[in-house]
Amino acid sequence: VGVAIAPYDGVERVELTRAADLALYASKNGGRGQFRFYAADLEHESSLRKRMEDDLAEAIEAGSFTVEYQPCVDLRNNTVVALEAQYSWEDEQRGRVSQGTFIPVAEGSRLIIPIGEWALRKACREACEWPQNLRLSINISPVQFESSGFVDMVAKVLVETGLDPARLD
């Protein structure tokens, strides 16, 4: 729930609706069953978020993302069985932006869909050059997973890259 109170947060319907929307968005970020009253700092957060959304859209076009891998180890015999792909964003002004910072913004704007597809394609291409017994593990955003065409996109990427589907977690 997002709460805005007249006349403090606005007088006109448009002002109150915007204030309530900002408060609602902030409460959603807090998890289920939350409520938030409008506060002026939400305007600042909103403008920062919008700027990050715009920068993420530009980063997709510019290819400013990288994929890094973290080993997944079978503890029974201490062997690496998979590499988990993790993507990061290198922004010219922000430097390296943590996933905890940009993923929620990308999910909220649905930019996670093209970012996630790019990461999957790149990781699958690179995994084709690994030993055959090494699997690729990649996290998928719920937003990406629930998007229409997700299964078809994964199938297309596997065909394009030639990665054995049994090697993808």
Side-chain angles (χ1 to χ4, degrees):
V1 174
V3 181
I5 300 172
Y8 308 106
D9 302 329
V11 177
E12 299 296 320
R13 180 183 61 83
V14 172
E15 295 171 318
L16 282 171
T17 301
R18 175 167 166 64
D21 281 346
L22 288 172
L24 174 63
Y25 188 77
S27 72
K28 285 181 177 180
N29 283 339
R32 293 183 160 225
Q34 302 288 315
F35 69 92
R36 176 96 185 251
F37 285 91
Y38 172 80
D41 63 323
L42 296 178
E43 290 288 343
H44 181 66
E45 289 175 25
S46 176
S47 66
L48 288 176
R49 183 178 186 83
K50 176 63 177 140
R51 183 168 167 232
M52 186 175 279
E53 283 178 17
D54 294 344
D55 291 348
L56 275 170
E58 289 177 17
I60 293 168
E61 295 296 320
S64 300
F65 294 93
T66 59
V67 176
E68 299 165 345
Y69 299 95
Q70 177 174 314
C72 300
V73 178
D74 182 343
L75 296 178
R76 292 174 293 188
N77 55 17
N78 204 29
T79 59
V80 175
V81 294
L83 293 178
E84 180 181 350
Q86 298 179 345
Y87 42 96
S88 59
W89 175 29
E90 290 290 333
D91 184 56
E92 289 179 8
Q93 294 177 336
R94 293 179 185 89
R96 184 182 175 104
V97 183
S98 73
Q99 284 189 350
T101 301
F102 80 84
I103 294 291
V105 174
E107 287 178 333
S109 63
R110 299 188 60 80
L111 289 170
I112 195 67
I113 295 170
I115 294 168
E117 182 176 346
W118 170 85
L120 179 65
R121 182 171 278 109
K122 180 159 179 63
C124 286
R125 221 180 274 126
E126 291 178 358
C128 286
E129 298 177 21
W130 302 344
Q132 292 297 310
N133 64 331
L134 199 55
R135 293 189 326 270
L136 167 63
S137 177
I138 188 165
N139 292 317
I140 301 297
S141 161
V143 173
Q144 186 180 6
F145 187 75
E146 293 171 349
S147 68
S148 63
F150 173 74
V151 173
D152 293 336
M153 181 274 296
V154 172
K156 181 180 175 186
V157 167
L158 289 170
V159 168
E160 286 176 6
T161 61
L163 183 68
D164 179 358
R167 293 181 58 205
L168 178 62
D169 296 334

